[in-house]
mmCIF file with all atom_site columns, all heavy atoms in Angstrom:
data_model
loop_
_atom_site.group_PDB
_atom_site.id
_atom_site.type_symbol
_atom_site.label_atom_id
_atom_site.label_alt_id
_atom_site.label_comp_id
_atom_site.label_asym_id
_atom_site.label_entity_id
_atom_site.label_seq_id
_atom_site.pdbx_PDB_ins_code
_atom_site.Cartn_x
_atom_site.Cartn_y
_atom_site.Cartn_z
_atom_site.occupancy
_atom_site.B_iso_or_equiv
_atom_site.pdbx_formal_charge
_atom_site.auth_seq_id
_atom_site.auth_comp_id
_atom_site.auth_asym_id
_atom_site.auth_atom_id
_atom_site.pdbx_PDB_model_num
ATOM 1   N N   . VAL O 1 139 ? 3.037   2.466   -4.002  1.00 0.00 ? 168 VAL O N   1
ATOM 2   C CA  . VAL O 1 139 ? 3.141   1.402   -5.002  1.00 0.00 ? 168 VAL O CA  1
ATOM 3   C C   . VAL O 1 139 ? 1.926   1.436   -5.921  1.00 0.00 ? 168 VAL O C   1
ATOM 4   O O   . VAL O 1 139 ? 0.789   1.573   -5.465  1.00 0.00 ? 168 VAL O O   1
ATOM 5   C CB  . VAL O 1 139 ? 3.236   0.015   -4.327  1.00 0.00 ? 168 VAL O CB  1
ATOM 6   C CG1 . VAL O 1 139 ? 3.356   -1.082  -5.380  1.00 0.00 ? 168 VAL O CG1 1
ATOM 7   C CG2 . VAL O 1 139 ? 4.427   -0.039  -3.372  1.00 0.00 ? 168 VAL O CG2 1
ATOM 8   N N   . PHE O 1 140 ? 2.162   1.315   -7.222  1.00 0.00 ? 169 PHE O N   1
ATOM 9   C CA  . PHE O 1 140 ? 1.103   1.303   -8.233  1.00 0.00 ? 169 PHE O CA  1
ATOM 10  C C   . PHE O 1 140 ? 1.351   0.130   -9.176  1.00 0.00 ? 169 PHE O C   1
ATOM 11  O O   . PHE O 1 140 ? 2.499   -0.199  -9.470  1.00 0.00 ? 169 PHE O O   1
ATOM 12  C CB  . PHE O 1 140 ? 1.085   2.610   -9.023  1.00 0.00 ? 169 PHE O CB  1
ATOM 13  C CG  . PHE O 1 140 ? 0.799   3.824   -8.188  1.00 0.00 ? 169 PHE O CG  1
ATOM 14  C CD1 . PHE O 1 140 ? 1.802   4.417   -7.428  1.00 0.00 ? 169 PHE O CD1 1
ATOM 15  C CD2 . PHE O 1 140 ? -0.477  4.376   -8.153  1.00 0.00 ? 169 PHE O CD2 1
ATOM 16  C CE1 . PHE O 1 140 ? 1.532   5.537   -6.651  1.00 0.00 ? 169 PHE O CE1 1
ATOM 17  C CE2 . PHE O 1 140 ? -0.748  5.498   -7.383  1.00 0.00 ? 169 PHE O CE2 1
ATOM 18  C CZ  . PHE O 1 140 ? 0.264   6.073   -6.623  1.00 0.00 ? 169 PHE O CZ  1
ATOM 19  N N   . TYR O 1 141 ? 0.284   -0.474  -9.676  1.00 0.00 ? 170 TYR O N   1
ATOM 20  C CA  . TYR O 1 141 ? 0.455   -1.666  -10.507 1.00 0.00 ? 170 TYR O CA  1
ATOM 21  C C   . TYR O 1 141 ? -0.655  -1.730  -11.552 1.00 0.00 ? 170 TYR O C   1
ATOM 22  O O   . TYR O 1 141 ? -1.763  -1.218  -11.366 1.00 0.00 ? 170 TYR O O   1
ATOM 23  C CB  . TYR O 1 141 ? 0.445   -2.936  -9.650  1.00 0.00 ? 170 TYR O CB  1
ATOM 24  C CG  . TYR O 1 141 ? -0.420  -2.832  -8.424  1.00 0.00 ? 170 TYR O CG  1
ATOM 25  C CD1 . TYR O 1 141 ? -1.757  -3.226  -8.447  1.00 0.00 ? 170 TYR O CD1 1
ATOM 26  C CD2 . TYR O 1 141 ? 0.092   -2.294  -7.247  1.00 0.00 ? 170 TYR O CD2 1
ATOM 27  C CE1 . TYR O 1 141 ? -2.555  -3.101  -7.330  1.00 0.00 ? 170 TYR O CE1 1
ATOM 28  C CE2 . TYR O 1 141 ? -0.698  -2.168  -6.118  1.00 0.00 ? 170 TYR O CE2 1
ATOM 29  C CZ  . TYR O 1 141 ? -2.025  -2.568  -6.166  1.00 0.00 ? 170 TYR O CZ  1
ATOM 30  O OH  . TYR O 1 141 ? -2.811  -2.424  -5.055  1.00 0.00 ? 170 TYR O OH  1
ATOM 31  N N   . LYS O 1 142 ? -0.332  -2.365  -12.670 1.00 0.00 ? 171 LYS O N   1
ATOM 32  C CA  . LYS O 1 142 ? -1.294  -2.517  -13.748 1.00 0.00 ? 171 LYS O CA  1
ATOM 33  C C   . LYS O 1 142 ? -2.324  -3.591  -13.399 1.00 0.00 ? 171 LYS O C   1
ATOM 34  O O   . LYS O 1 142 ? -2.061  -4.507  -12.626 1.00 0.00 ? 171 LYS O O   1
ATOM 35  C CB  . LYS O 1 142 ? -0.573  -2.896  -15.045 1.00 0.00 ? 171 LYS O CB  1
ATOM 36  C CG  . LYS O 1 142 ? 0.334   -1.805  -15.600 1.00 0.00 ? 171 LYS O CG  1
ATOM 37  C CD  . LYS O 1 142 ? 1.012   -2.268  -16.883 1.00 0.00 ? 171 LYS O CD  1
ATOM 38  C CE  . LYS O 1 142 ? 1.914   -1.188  -17.468 1.00 0.00 ? 171 LYS O CE  1
ATOM 39  N NZ  . LYS O 1 142 ? 2.608   -1.647  -18.691 1.00 0.00 ? 171 LYS O NZ  1
ATOM 40  N N   . ARG O 1 143 ? -3.482  -3.461  -14.003 1.00 0.00 ? 172 ARG O N   1
ATOM 41  C CA  . ARG O 1 143 ? -4.566  -4.418  -13.785 1.00 0.00 ? 172 ARG O CA  1
ATOM 42  C C   . ARG O 1 143 ? -4.114  -5.853  -14.070 1.00 0.00 ? 172 ARG O C   1
ATOM 43  O O   . ARG O 1 143 ? -4.540  -6.803  -13.404 1.00 0.00 ? 172 ARG O O   1
ATOM 44  C CB  . ARG O 1 143 ? -5.756  -4.054  -14.681 1.00 0.00 ? 172 ARG O CB  1
ATOM 45  C CG  . ARG O 1 143 ? -6.915  -5.027  -14.628 1.00 0.00 ? 172 ARG O CG  1
ATOM 46  C CD  . ARG O 1 143 ? -8.034  -4.597  -15.555 1.00 0.00 ? 172 ARG O CD  1
ATOM 47  N NE  . ARG O 1 143 ? -8.740  -3.436  -15.028 1.00 0.00 ? 172 ARG O NE  1
ATOM 48  C CZ  . ARG O 1 143 ? -9.761  -3.510  -14.177 1.00 0.00 ? 172 ARG O CZ  1
ATOM 49  N NH1 . ARG O 1 143 ? -10.191 -4.688  -13.748 1.00 0.00 ? 172 ARG O NH1 1
ATOM 50  N NH2 . ARG O 1 143 ? -10.365 -2.414  -13.767 1.00 0.00 ? 172 ARG O NH2 1
ATOM 51  N N   . GLU O 1 144 ? -3.231  -6.012  -15.046 1.00 0.00 ? 173 GLU O N   1
ATOM 52  C CA  . GLU O 1 144 ? -2.773  -7.352  -15.418 1.00 0.00 ? 173 GLU O CA  1
ATOM 53  C C   . GLU O 1 144 ? -2.088  -8.086  -14.275 1.00 0.00 ? 173 GLU O C   1
ATOM 54  O O   . GLU O 1 144 ? -2.092  -9.320  -14.215 1.00 0.00 ? 173 GLU O O   1
ATOM 55  C CB  . GLU O 1 144 ? -1.802  -7.272  -16.598 1.00 0.00 ? 173 GLU O CB  1
ATOM 56  C CG  . GLU O 1 144 ? -2.445  -6.844  -17.908 1.00 0.00 ? 173 GLU O CG  1
ATOM 57  C CD  . GLU O 1 144 ? -2.317  -5.359  -18.142 1.00 0.00 ? 173 GLU O CD  1
ATOM 58  O OE1 . GLU O 1 144 ? -2.406  -4.577  -17.170 1.00 0.00 ? 173 GLU O OE1 1
ATOM 59  O OE2 . GLU O 1 144 ? -2.120  -4.970  -19.313 1.00 0.00 ? 173 GLU O OE2 1
ATOM 60  N N   . VAL O 1 145 ? -1.490  -7.333  -13.356 1.00 0.00 ? 174 VAL O N   1
ATOM 61  C CA  . VAL O 1 145 ? -0.808  -7.973  -12.226 1.00 0.00 ? 174 VAL O CA  1
ATOM 62  C C   . VAL O 1 145 ? -1.815  -8.717  -11.357 1.00 0.00 ? 174 VAL O C   1
ATOM 63  O O   . VAL O 1 145 ? -1.624  -9.886  -11.007 1.00 0.00 ? 174 VAL O O   1
ATOM 64  C CB  . VAL O 1 145 ? -0.039  -6.934  -11.390 1.00 0.00 ? 174 VAL O CB  1
ATOM 65  C CG1 . VAL O 1 145 ? 0.608   -7.599  -10.177 1.00 0.00 ? 174 VAL O CG1 1
ATOM 66  C CG2 . VAL O 1 145 ? 1.014   -6.236  -12.236 1.00 0.00 ? 174 VAL O CG2 1
ATOM 67  N N   . VAL O 1 146 ? -2.903  -8.056  -11.023 1.00 0.00 ? 175 VAL O N   1
ATOM 68  C CA  . VAL O 1 146 ? -3.938  -8.674  -10.200 1.00 0.00 ? 175 VAL O CA  1
ATOM 69  C C   . VAL O 1 146 ? -4.580  -9.847  -10.937 1.00 0.00 ? 175 VAL O C   1
ATOM 70  O O   . VAL O 1 146 ? -4.830  -10.905 -10.356 1.00 0.00 ? 175 VAL O O   1
ATOM 71  C CB  . VAL O 1 146 ? -5.010  -7.639  -9.808  1.00 0.00 ? 175 VAL O CB  1
ATOM 72  C CG1 . VAL O 1 146 ? -6.115  -8.294  -8.997  1.00 0.00 ? 175 VAL O CG1 1
ATOM 73  C CG2 . VAL O 1 146 ? -4.373  -6.502  -9.014  1.00 0.00 ? 175 VAL O CG2 1
ATOM 74  N N   . ALA O 1 147 ? -4.826  -9.668  -12.235 1.00 0.00 ? 176 ALA O N   1
ATOM 75  C CA  . ALA O 1 147 ? -5.442  -10.729 -13.026 1.00 0.00 ? 176 ALA O CA  1
ATOM 76  C C   . ALA O 1 147 ? -4.557  -11.960 -13.093 1.00 0.00 ? 176 ALA O C   1
ATOM 77  O O   . ALA O 1 147 ? -5.047  -13.096 -13.148 1.00 0.00 ? 176 ALA O O   1
ATOM 78  C CB  . ALA O 1 147 ? -5.743  -10.218 -14.437 1.00 0.00 ? 176 ALA O CB  1
ATOM 79  N N   . THR O 1 148 ? -3.241  -11.750 -13.063 1.00 0.00 ? 177 THR O N   1
ATOM 80  C CA  . THR O 1 148 ? -2.308  -12.869 -13.213 1.00 0.00 ? 177 THR O CA  1
ATOM 81  C C   . THR O 1 148 ? -2.004  -13.572 -11.896 1.00 0.00 ? 177 THR O C   1
ATOM 82  O O   . THR O 1 148 ? -2.051  -14.808 -11.813 1.00 0.00 ? 177 THR O O   1
ATOM 83  C CB  . THR O 1 148 ? -0.984  -12.378 -13.835 1.00 0.00 ? 177 THR O CB  1
ATOM 84  O OG1 . THR O 1 148 ? -1.247  -11.816 -15.118 1.00 0.00 ? 177 THR O OG1 1
ATOM 85  C CG2 . THR O 1 148 ? 0.007   -13.520 -13.988 1.00 0.00 ? 177 THR O CG2 1
ATOM 86  N N   . VAL O 1 149 ? -1.680  -12.811 -10.846 1.00 0.00 ? 178 VAL O N   1
ATOM 87  C CA  . VAL O 1 149 ? -1.257  -13.442 -9.586  1.00 0.00 ? 178 VAL O CA  1
ATOM 88  C C   . VAL O 1 149 ? -2.403  -13.652 -8.612  1.00 0.00 ? 178 VAL O C   1
ATOM 89  O O   . VAL O 1 149 ? -2.247  -14.343 -7.601  1.00 0.00 ? 178 VAL O O   1
ATOM 90  C CB  . VAL O 1 149 ? -0.132  -12.646 -8.903  1.00 0.00 ? 178 VAL O CB  1
ATOM 91  C CG1 . VAL O 1 149 ? 1.019   -12.432 -9.862  1.00 0.00 ? 178 VAL O CG1 1
ATOM 92  C CG2 . VAL O 1 149 ? -0.625  -11.312 -8.366  1.00 0.00 ? 178 VAL O CG2 1
ATOM 93  N N   . GLY O 1 150 ? -3.563  -13.085 -8.900  1.00 0.00 ? 179 GLY O N   1
ATOM 94  C CA  . GLY O 1 150 ? -4.728  -13.323 -8.066  1.00 0.00 ? 179 GLY O CA  1
ATOM 95  C C   . GLY O 1 150 ? -4.900  -12.320 -6.946  1.00 0.00 ? 179 GLY O C   1
ATOM 96  O O   . GLY O 1 150 ? -4.067  -11.430 -6.739  1.00 0.00 ? 179 GLY O O   1
ATOM 97  N N   . PRO O 1 151 ? -5.978  -12.446 -6.182  1.00 0.00 ? 180 PRO O N   1
ATOM 98  C CA  . PRO O 1 151 ? -6.296  -11.484 -5.118  1.00 0.00 ? 180 PRO O CA  1
ATOM 99  C C   . PRO O 1 151 ? -5.370  -11.626 -3.915  1.00 0.00 ? 180 PRO O C   1
ATOM 100 O O   . PRO O 1 151 ? -4.561  -12.556 -3.831  1.00 0.00 ? 180 PRO O O   1
ATOM 101 C CB  . PRO O 1 151 ? -7.734  -11.844 -4.750  1.00 0.00 ? 180 PRO O CB  1
ATOM 102 C CG  . PRO O 1 151 ? -7.821  -13.322 -5.034  1.00 0.00 ? 180 PRO O CG  1
ATOM 103 C CD  . PRO O 1 151 ? -6.989  -13.515 -6.277  1.00 0.00 ? 180 PRO O CD  1
ATOM 104 N N   . LEU O 1 152 ? -5.516  -10.692 -2.990  1.00 0.00 ? 181 LEU O N   1
ATOM 105 C CA  . LEU O 1 152 ? -4.750  -10.743 -1.753  1.00 0.00 ? 181 LEU O CA  1
ATOM 106 C C   . LEU O 1 152 ? -5.221  -11.917 -0.894  1.00 0.00 ? 181 LEU O C   1
ATOM 107 O O   . LEU O 1 152 ? -6.401  -12.269 -0.893  1.00 0.00 ? 181 LEU O O   1
ATOM 108 C CB  . LEU O 1 152 ? -4.927  -9.439  -0.979  1.00 0.00 ? 181 LEU O CB  1
ATOM 109 C CG  . LEU O 1 152 ? -4.397  -8.179  -1.656  1.00 0.00 ? 181 LEU O CG  1
ATOM 110 C CD1 . LEU O 1 152 ? -4.837  -6.947  -0.880  1.00 0.00 ? 181 LEU O CD1 1
ATOM 111 C CD2 . LEU O 1 152 ? -2.887  -8.213  -1.774  1.00 0.00 ? 181 LEU O CD2 1
ATOM 112 N N   . ASP O 1 153 ? -4.295  -12.491 -0.168  1.00 0.00 ? 182 ASP O N   1
ATOM 113 C CA  . ASP O 1 153 ? -4.597  -13.604 0.728   1.00 0.00 ? 182 ASP O CA  1
ATOM 114 C C   . ASP O 1 153 ? -5.189  -13.041 2.018   1.00 0.00 ? 182 ASP O C   1
ATOM 115 O O   . ASP O 1 153 ? -4.483  -12.427 2.816   1.00 0.00 ? 182 ASP O O   1
ATOM 116 C CB  . ASP O 1 153 ? -3.314  -14.384 1.016   1.00 0.00 ? 182 ASP O CB  1
ATOM 117 C CG  . ASP O 1 153 ? -3.565  -15.640 1.846   1.00 0.00 ? 182 ASP O CG  1
ATOM 118 O OD1 . ASP O 1 153 ? -4.653  -15.760 2.440   1.00 0.00 ? 182 ASP O OD1 1
ATOM 119 O OD2 . ASP O 1 153 ? -2.656  -16.490 1.911   1.00 0.00 ? 182 ASP O OD2 1
ATOM 120 N N   . THR O 1 154 ? -6.457  -13.262 2.247   1.00 0.00 ? 183 THR O N   1
ATOM 121 C CA  . THR O 1 154 ? -7.133  -12.687 3.410   1.00 0.00 ? 183 THR O CA  1
ATOM 122 C C   . THR O 1 154 ? -6.890  -13.477 4.689   1.00 0.00 ? 183 THR O C   1
ATOM 123 O O   . THR O 1 154 ? -7.384  -13.090 5.752   1.00 0.00 ? 183 THR O O   1
ATOM 124 C CB  . THR O 1 154 ? -8.645  -12.593 3.162   1.00 0.00 ? 183 THR O CB  1
ATOM 125 O OG1 . THR O 1 154 ? -9.174  -13.900 2.898   1.00 0.00 ? 183 THR O OG1 1
ATOM 126 C CG2 . THR O 1 154 ? -8.943  -11.687 1.977   1.00 0.00 ? 183 THR O CG2 1
#
Side-chain angles (χ1 to χ4, degrees):
V168 181
F169 298 80
Y170 31 92
K171 293 180 179 178
R172 176 181 287 273
E173 291 95 323
V174 177
V175 178
T177 300
V178 306
L181 296 171
D182 185 345
T183 59

